[in-house]
Amino acid sequence: QVQLVESGGGLVQAWGSLRLSCAISGRTFGSYTMAWFRQAPGKEREFLSGITRSGGDTRYADSVKGRFTISRDNAKNTVYLQMNNLKPEDTAVYYCAASTAVLIFTTPGIYNVWGQGTQVTVSS
């Protein structure tokens, strides 16, 4: 139905900033609640942040609250994750996900569509 493609990952120094983008194909972007997850080697997928269809409500994991900011531009079919004050423990593959649910859920199984992931590496 739709496809999600993440971009903006790469290598960044500790204390630095990075902005991830997730481009969504199709014309149904505004119907999806969007979220960002990450997964480090040997660890389970971790919810980071979510945003409702209109962008009116957001939700953050405690591990990133105050450092990461999620936003969306429905006209551009894109959701963003601004990451500030990055730490080496933020190193992971970051995934964009879409859900048809109205509310923001933290469980990966709720999300219907996933991107391929983009690698974020934070050096010390």
Side-chain angles (χ1 to χ4, degrees):
Q1 179 69 273
V2 299
Q3 291 185 337
L4 281 59
V5 180
E6 301 95 338
S7 62
L11 177 64
V12 64
Q13 294 180 340
W15 308 108
S17 298
L18 202 63
R19 189 177 75 159
L20 304 182
S21 298
C22 176
I24 295 86
S25 64
R27 298 191 297 271
T28 61
F29 177 68
S31 298
Y32 286 85
T33 294
M34 303 298 298
W36 287 94
F37 292 77
R38 70 185 179 190
Q39 188 166 23
K43 302 186 69 176
E44 64 183 11
R45 196 159 294 189
E46 174 190 13
F47 172 85
L48 299 176
S49 184
I51 187 167
T52 51
R53 296 176 180 183
S54 65
D57 292 316
T58 58
R59 185 174 182 178
Y60 296 92
D62 290 340
S63 60
V64 303
K65 188 176 182 180
R67 298 191 298 127
F68 291 10
T69 303
I70 191 171
S71 62
R72 68 189 297 161
D73 187 339
N74 288 352
K76 295 183 177 181
N77 289 351
T78 303
V79 64
Y80 304 94
L81 184 67
Q82 178 67 46
M83 305 185 294
N84 299 323
N85 190 24
L86 285 163
K87 308 173 182 179
E89 51 262 44
D90 293 319
T91 296
V93 177
Y94 283 67
Y95 295 91
C96 180
S99 170
T100 55
V102 175
L103 301 178
I104 302 168
F105 294 92
T106 63
T107 55
I110 293 296
Y111 293 85
N112 309 96
V113 186
W114 291 82
Q116 82 289 346
T118 185
Q119 176 71 45
V120 172
T121 302
V122 183
S123 63
S124 60

